[in-house]
Amino acid sequence: MKMSKKYKIIMYSLLALFSLYFLLPFVWVILSALKTEAEVFSFPPKIFPEMPQWGNFIDAWNSQPFGTYLKNSVIVTVMTTLGQLISCSLVAYGFARYDFKYKNGLFILLLATMMIPWDVTMIPLYMEFNLFGWINTLKPLIVPAFFGSAYYIFLLRQFLMNIPKDLENAARIDGANEFQIFFKIFLPIMKAPLILIAVLNILLVWNDYLGPLIYLQDQSKYTLALGLAAFKGIHDLQILPIMSITLVMIIPPVLVFLFAQKYIVEGISGSIK
């Protein structure tokens, strides 16, 4: 018991040190955003500001139309997450619970698409969306999500494969049709992996820079990631505005992760059984 307790103390101490290592940049951004310009460039560096400058956030936010950027980011993030959840859950349910011709071959073909880098399809996709007249709109960032993602489909399919067939057979005997079985039985069961997929998609889309850079031209269509990059180009030597907007941008993903971390662990563990 003594060895076990000693081992736990050592392990938790090491984990605490590692967590501090990863938290330090985040803490430094927070403290820098609250300093005056003289304090930021002072030597030796001052860790804490003498008086927090909350006005730095207001000044930085009002210097560009970040309200519009935020609205566009929220629209793209919410719609793509909704599209991924609908399409991936339906496709994964079909692969996991039904038997049909060429099922395994189609699933292998689906997984093979994960090996194709996005950089390879970037130009063909741009030409396709240009043909549709979608360039400089949010549609190229939203519509593809309603066709699913191979990785998310794989996660959900693996989770559904662990559920015994007796569940839906009993529902069919009770007179439930296929849609009732999916919506009333399997969707509640898939709560944890669906939240996991939602969190992963939110983190990916919220921080996406290359997609908006390729498809968006008008500043009124910019997402927050693209607007922040353009803001850095304008304020490349002004540390305070950059720190303030960067902090505002990273807070939502951090909050999403903190509130959903329980379901992230459950979703991953349920998919790898």
Side-chain angles (χ1 to χ4, degrees), residues 175-186:
N177 58 39
E178 299 302 323
F179 285 102
Q180 288 174 328
I181 293 173
F182 175 73
F183 285 108
K184 294 185 178 181
I185 297 176
F186 281 93

Side-chain angles (χ1 to χ4, degrees), residues 68-215:
T68 301
Y69 302 159
L70 177 62
K71 180 190 72 174
N72 294 335
S73 287
V74 170
I75 292 173
V76 173
T77 303
V78 171
M79 293 303 296
T80 54
T81 302
L82 183 64
Q84 293 287 7
L85 293 178
I86 293 173
S87 57
C88 293
S89 60
L90 288 171
V91 175
Y93 180 75
F95 276 119
R97 313 308 294 184
Y98 291 101
D99 293 321
F100 51 89
K101 196 175 182 180
Y102 307 123
K103 170 184 171 180
N104 293 331
L106 289 172
F107 187 67
I108 292 173
L109 182 63
L110 174 70
L111 294 181
T113 61
M114 296 172 60
M115 303 180 187
I116 305 175
W118 188 80
D119 309 67
V120 175
T121 61
M122 181 171 56
I123 296 176
L125 283 174
Y126 182 89
M127 296 173 65
E128 179 182 351
F129 293 140
N130 187 46
L131 184 65
F132 293 159
W134 289 359
I135 300 301
N136 200 30
T137 69
L138 299 179
K139 292 179 182 177
L141 304 176
I142 296 174
V143 174
F146 284 85
F147 292 88
S149 165
Y151 178 63
Y152 299 154
I153 292 171
F154 172 76
L155 285 179
L156 285 174
R157 186 251 188 189
Q158 295 303 109
F159 178 86
L160 291 170
M161 290 287 286
N162 297 318
I163 301 174
K165 287 276 188 179
D166 297 340
L167 196 62
E168 64 236 55
N169 291 336
R172 289 191 182 98
I173 293 174
D174 291 338
N177 58 39
E178 299 302 323
F179 285 102
Q180 288 174 328
I181 293 173
F182 175 73
F183 285 108
K184 294 185 178 181
I185 297 176
F186 281 93
L187 271 185
I189 294 175
M190 289 191 291
K191 179 181 178 180
L194 286 175
I195 292 177
L196 168 64
I197 289 172
V199 172
L200 292 177
N201 186 76
I202 288 171
L203 296 178
L204 177 66
V205 175
W206 186 264
N207 296 312
D208 183 25
Y209 167 71
L210 190 56
L213 178 66
I214 293 172
Y215 300 123

Side-chain angles (χ1 to χ4, degrees), residues 32-33 37 40-41 235-245:
S32 298
E37 190 170 353
V40 170
F41 293 103
H235 299 267
D236 54 343
L237 295 177
Q238 299 184 32
I239 302 298
L240 290 177
I242 294 174
M243 290 290 186
S244 302
I245 297 301

